[in-house]
């Protein structure tokens, strides 16, 4: 985030030399065979500074690194002044330079630990109290709809960061949810999303939570307006809107204009980035679903990781370690993507969540100083919950032509130990086996031995696993609110660290604007063919085809 080109650092040049001279020798089979201490050297246990039960193990021994490479990667962190930029973030300096904003999601879970001199920070506790009071009154049934019935359904209407965080966390912590309360999430402008959701709702017992930082996002405002129309088609009187619509936003004026009174608005601030907002008022649906005490545990878990990130020496600092390993593959091995593979069904939205978190943050190609980068920045992030992915795309990960570094995550204990934990033991055996198979593969010799002398050459070749495919394994006791908070914050700070090294601004998202502007222009031209002006022949042809075939 210094804005310097990463390639100018001497540590970068050193890493390039190390890659050029060493990479042919970086064979995991050999590295493990030569060094019985390899696991000891390259694993770290995280224990939250606030709560010893929030803990996990990061095993990064199955990476294509040696101690000198690891040391050089940490030198890069020092040279890029990650520690200085980290302090600037925590101090509330405006490190989001293009928008002249502080980056203070850490202030949303600070619990008075650090004094941060930014306006709004002193209002965080007040908003948390509002979330607590409101979520408790909905959960207890005290909050009544317009006919006097309690709320049994909530619908969060929001998109991007105003959707993905609440969706991911409410799924991840379903074991803690109030089972007689249903939560829906409507994000897409496609009317199908809202229509199919409203079919499941009763206007008398449904609460709509309109989540939008800006309160100008076309999808959210259109969905919210249609939801209000649907509600009023039964409730009739506008005065009832107050019992059934609340807003989460930084934009009081637009919220009031929409017809939601300020006491039903949950405030946050421009220093909360959309993709870092689940800790803010945007988390209201989370608090309603899992209860405020669990929501606070989530925040505390993240805060513990903030403290770790801020104080642990680099060689012990888990976000930093994940960040530099990512850089090693992304920038020196030429890996294009990174996999997130939680072996936990509850985390089935984890990769979706971090697609925005990582790709909207680090999908940039100019530095903070406006220079074009001549190196790769943020990876394409993808993933799925294990073991589903194994029966889908793992073929390519094991035997395809691409190097795809992966993070495997799993809980030691399941919330659902059915069949005497048989399911969980099978799940975990896969969690242990996959990184092993990726790293060590199966040699031609092993295949020949297994198949016997009559096997054809093509069959032998097709069964060889090259191995040497790197991965991290993260194993935690149980998926609790606090552990989830720590894991999310771990990846947030990883993204921060990588952004600083690449010299980019991880906290704006200019790349999402152009399409929005063009869509607005096209929306005004959709009625008549003669209105379609100013486009290339492809876009014009497509719109004309639509106009010929639409039947309203
Ligand atoms: O919360 P909103 O203001 O409605 O914004 C929702 C989303 O809009 C855009 O797509 C931004 O790129 C996202 O970062 C943001 O989360």
């Amino acid at each position: 985030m210094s804005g310097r080109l990463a390639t100018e650092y001497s540590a970068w040049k050193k890493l390039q030399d190390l890659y050029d001279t060493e990479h042919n020798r970086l064979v995991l089979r050999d590295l493990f065979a030569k060094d019985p201490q390899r696991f000891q050297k390259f694993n770290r246990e995280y224990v939250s500074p606030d709560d010893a039960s929030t803990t996990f193990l990061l095993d990064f021994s199955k990476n294509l690194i040696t101690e000198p490479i690891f040391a050089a990667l940490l030198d890069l962190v020092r040279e890029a002044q990650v520690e200085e930029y980290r302090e600037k973030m925590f101090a509330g300096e405006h490190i989001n330079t293009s928008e002249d904003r502080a980056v203070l999601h850490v202030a949303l879970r600070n619990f008075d630990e650090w004094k941060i001199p930014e306006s709004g920070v002193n209002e965080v506790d007040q908003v948390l109290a509002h979330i607590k009071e409101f979520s408790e009154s909905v959960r207890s049934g005290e909050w009544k709809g317009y006919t006097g019935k309690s709320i049994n359904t909530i619908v969060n209407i929001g998109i991007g960061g105003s959707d993905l965080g609440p969706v991911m966390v409410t799924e991840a912590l379903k074991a803690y949810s109030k089972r007689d309360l249903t939560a829906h999430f409507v994000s897409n402008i496609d009317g199908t999303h809202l229509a199919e959701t409203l079919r499941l709702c009763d206007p008398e017992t449904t609460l709509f939570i309109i989540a939008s930082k800006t309160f100008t996002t076309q999808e959210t405002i259109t969905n919210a307006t249609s939801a209000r129309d649907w509600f009023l088609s039964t409730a009739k009187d506008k005065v009832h809107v107050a019992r059934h619509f609340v807003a989460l936003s930084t934009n009081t004026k637009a919220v009031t204009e929409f017809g939601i009174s300020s006491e039903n608005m949950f405030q946050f601030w421009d220093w909360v980035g959309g993709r870092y907002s689940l800790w803010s008022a945007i988390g209201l649906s989370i608090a309603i679903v899992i209860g405020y005490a669990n929501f606070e545990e989530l925040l505390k878990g993240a805060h513990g990781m903030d403290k770790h990130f801020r104080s642990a020496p680099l060689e012990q600092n888990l976000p930093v370690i994940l960040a530099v390993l990512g850089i090693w593959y992304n920038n020196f091995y030429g890996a294009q993507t990174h996999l997130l593979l939680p072996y936990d069904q509850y985390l089935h939205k984890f990769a979706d969540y971090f697609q925005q978190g990582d790709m909207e943050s680090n999908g940039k190609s100019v530095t903070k100083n406006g220079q074009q980068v001549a190196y790769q920045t943020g990876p394409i992030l993808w993933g799925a919950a294990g073991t589903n992915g194994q029966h889908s795309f793992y073929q390519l990960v094991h035997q395809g032509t691409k190097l795809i570094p992966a993070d495997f995550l799993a809980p030691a204990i399941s919330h659902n130990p059915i069949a005497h934990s048989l399911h969980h033991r099978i799940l975990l055996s896969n969690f242990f086996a996959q990184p092993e198979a990726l790293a060590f593969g199966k040699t031609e010799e092993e295949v020949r031995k297994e198949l016997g002398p009559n096997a054809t050459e093509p069959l032998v070749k097709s069964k060889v696993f090259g191995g040497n495919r790197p991965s991290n394994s993260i194993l935690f006791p149980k998926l609790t609110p606090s552990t989830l908070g720590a894991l999310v914050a771990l990846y947030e700070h990883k993204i921060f660290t990588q952004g600083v090294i690449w010299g980019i601004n991880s906290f704006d998202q200019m790349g999402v604007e152009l399409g929005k502007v063009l869509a607005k222009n096209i929306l005004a031209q959709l009625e008549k063919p003669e209105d379609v002006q100013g486009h290339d022949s492809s876009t014009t042809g497509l719109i004309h085809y639509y106009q010929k075939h639409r039947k309203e």
Side-chain angles (χ1 to χ4, degrees):
M1 223 163 285
S2 62
R4 273 184 67 186
L5 286 168
T7 37
E8 288 171 4
Y9 298 125
S10 60
W12 189 280
K13 296 183 181 102
K14 169 103 188 283
L15 284 162
Q16 189 61 57
D17 284 348
L18 282 166
Y19 175 80
D20 292 342
T21 54
E22 299 278 314
H23 79 274
N24 282 334
R25 289 198 291 271
L26 294 173
V27 179
L28 289 170
R29 268 185 186 246
D30 304 340
L31 295 171
F32 273 89
K34 268 190 271 172
D35 183 2
Q37 293 302 310
R38 189 169 171 87
F39 169 74
Q40 305 302 338
K41 282 179 189 154
F42 294 130
N43 89 78
R44 304 282 184 268
E45 189 178 12
Y46 170 74
V47 181
S48 164
D50 297 326
D51 156 31
S53 70
T54 303
T55 180
F56 59 83
L57 180 77
L58 167 66
D59 170 19
F60 61 105
S61 59
K62 293 192 191 83
N63 280 288
L64 305 170
I65 55 165
T66 55
E67 283 164 283
I69 292 170
F70 186 51
L73 285 165
L74 297 180
D75 284 344
L76 179 64
V77 174
R78 280 182 206 99
E79 205 180 342
Q81 299 187 310
V82 170
E83 291 147 295
E84 287 80 347
Y85 281 90
R86 177 189 66 196
E87 288 316 298
K88 286 180 198 280
M89 173 169 75
F90 279 94
E93 283 193 32
H94 287 204
I95 59 171
N96 175 357
T97 42
S98 64
E99 296 179 310
D100 190 17
R101 287 178 182 169
V103 174
L104 281 175
H105 41 283
V106 294
L108 299 166
R109 53 208 193 198
N110 178 23
F111 299 99
D112 292 330
E113 180 98 19
W114 302 300
K115 294 277 157 276
I116 304 171
E118 175 71 21
S119 86
V121 167
N122 57 354
E123 293 159 20
V124 168
D125 286 351
Q126 220 173 298
V127 175
L128 284 176
H130 194 190
I131 293 175
K132 180 173 193 285
E133 181 206 332
F134 185 78
S135 61
E136 282 171 358
S137 76
V138 171
R139 286 168 63 84
S140 67
E142 193 188 309
W143 181 272
K144 303 283 188 232
Y146 73 102
T147 57
K149 291 185 184 167
S150 302
I151 299 299
N152 62 18
T153 307
I154 61 168
V155 180
N156 186 86
I157 298 182
I159 196 163
S162 300
D163 169 67
L164 291 163
V167 170
M168 184 276 283
V169 174
T170 51
E171 283 299 301
L173 299 177
K174 205 176 233 165
Y176 298 83
S177 69
K178 188 167 158 51
R179 297 288 180 173
D180 57 355
L181 193 128
T182 309
H184 300 291
F185 295 86
V186 174
S187 51
N188 201 332
I189 187 60
D190 186 339
T192 299
H193 204 177
L194 183 64
E196 288 295 344
T197 304
L198 293 179
R199 273 196 188 105
L200 308 170
C201 299
D202 174 351
E204 293 182 43
T205 55
T206 300
L207 175 75
F208 292 92
I209 300 172
I210 316 304
S212 177
K213 178 176 169 181
T214 56
F215 228 75
T216 57
T217 303
Q218 191 186 37
E219 291 93 332
T220 300
I221 300 310
T222 309
N223 277 326
T225 306
S226 298
R228 191 183 52 189
D229 291 349
W230 171 86
F231 170 75
L232 285 173
S233 69
T234 311
K236 308 293 180 206
D237 193 340
K238 277 193 178 150
V239 77
H240 298 320
V241 168
R243 307 300 302 166
H244 291 267
F245 284 77
V246 299
L248 323 174
S249 189
T250 59
N251 188 345
T252 315
K253 189 165 169 278
V255 168
T256 323
E257 277 165 16
F258 181 85
I260 295 175
S261 63
S262 53
E263 69 262 29
N264 288 344
M265 176 176 164
F266 296 78
Q267 180 78 29
F268 62 112
W269 308 271
D270 72 357
W271 40 259
V272 182
R275 53 195 174 275
Y276 299 93
S277 64
L278 73 85
W279 323 99
S280 72
I282 293 294
L284 180 67
S285 55
I286 303 173
I288 294 176
V289 171
I290 64 171
Y292 184 78
N294 285 321
F295 181 64
E296 199 173 276
E297 282 299 300
L298 177 83
L299 267 51
K300 285 185 172 156
H303 179 58
M305 181 56 71
D306 294 340
K307 278 170 128 172
H308 167 86
F309 178 54
R310 205 171 177 187
S311 60
L314 294 183
E315 55 282 2
Q316 304 295 335
N317 198 307
L318 301 182
V320 167
I321 293 173
L322 289 187
V324 295
L325 292 168
I327 293 211
W328 181 232
Y329 300 119
N330 189 65
N331 294 100
F332 299 94
Y333 273 85
Q336 293 273 335
T337 80
H338 186 89
L339 264 177
L340 281 183
L341 299 169
Y343 276 60
D344 186 330
Q345 183 61 24
Y346 283 133
L347 286 174
H348 70 115
K349 293 283 183 187
F350 201 66
D352 288 7
Y353 174 72
F354 275 112
Q355 280 191 329
Q356 187 200 19
D358 202 324
M359 293 161 77
E360 200 173 70
S361 296
N362 284 343
K364 314 283 164 70
S365 49
V366 287
T367 65
K368 287 182 97 174
N369 297 333
Q371 273 176 289
Q372 188 70 34
V373 299
Y375 45 82
Q376 293 290 314
T377 59
I380 298 163
L381 202 122
W382 58 301
T387 60
N388 292 4
Q390 292 174 208
H391 298 274
S392 155
F393 54 79
Y394 275 37
Q395 168 62 42
L396 183 145
V397 184
H398 281 285
Q399 284 189 317
T401 52
K402 295 175 175 62
L403 179 77
I404 304 176
D407 292 355
F408 289 83
L409 300 99
I413 303 168
S414 171
H415 281 286
N416 300 294
I418 60 170
H420 306 289
S421 287
L422 172 66
H423 292 254
H424 200 57
R425 285 197 301 280
I426 297 175
L427 177 74
L428 286 187
S429 62
N430 282 280
F431 164 80
F432 295 123
Q434 289 295 331
E436 188 175 34
L438 285 170
F440 305 111
K442 196 177 202 180
T443 63
E444 200 171 313
E445 202 186 335
E446 286 165 338
V447 175
R448 279 187 202 288
K449 213 164 143 197
E450 193 179 285
L451 292 182
N454 298 331
T456 64
E457 272 312 288
L459 185 65
V460 169
K461 300 278 188 218
S462 74
K463 285 184 172 272
V464 172
F465 285 68
N468 224 29
R469 291 161 196 245
S471 66
N472 294 307
S473 297
I474 297 177
L475 188 55
F476 43 93
K478 195 171 185 176
L479 188 60
T480 62
S482 166
T483 301
L484 180 69
L487 290 172
V488 175
L490 166 75
Y491 281 99
E492 285 180 349
H493 296 318
K494 169 195 172 182
I495 293 164
F496 172 88
T497 302
Q498 291 188 329
V500 175
I501 293 173
W502 290 321
I504 57 180
N505 181 356
S506 301
F507 300 103
D508 63 8
Q509 53 285 318
M510 305 301 183
V512 301
E513 293 306 322
L514 177 61
K516 287 188 197 172
V517 173
L518 297 189
K520 215 169 184 181
N521 180 25
I522 290 173
L523 182 62
Q525 301 181 351
L526 285 182
E527 282 307 306
K528 299 191 279 316
E530 56 273 27
D531 288 346
V532 185
Q533 299 288 338
H535 304 287
D536 59 278
S537 62
S538 162
T539 309
T540 307
L542 286 164
I543 301 172
H544 283 162
Y545 188 84
Y546 153 76
Q547 289 172 329
K548 202 166 105 196
H549 286 276
R550 74 170 166 184
K551 291 197 180 59
E552 295 289 346

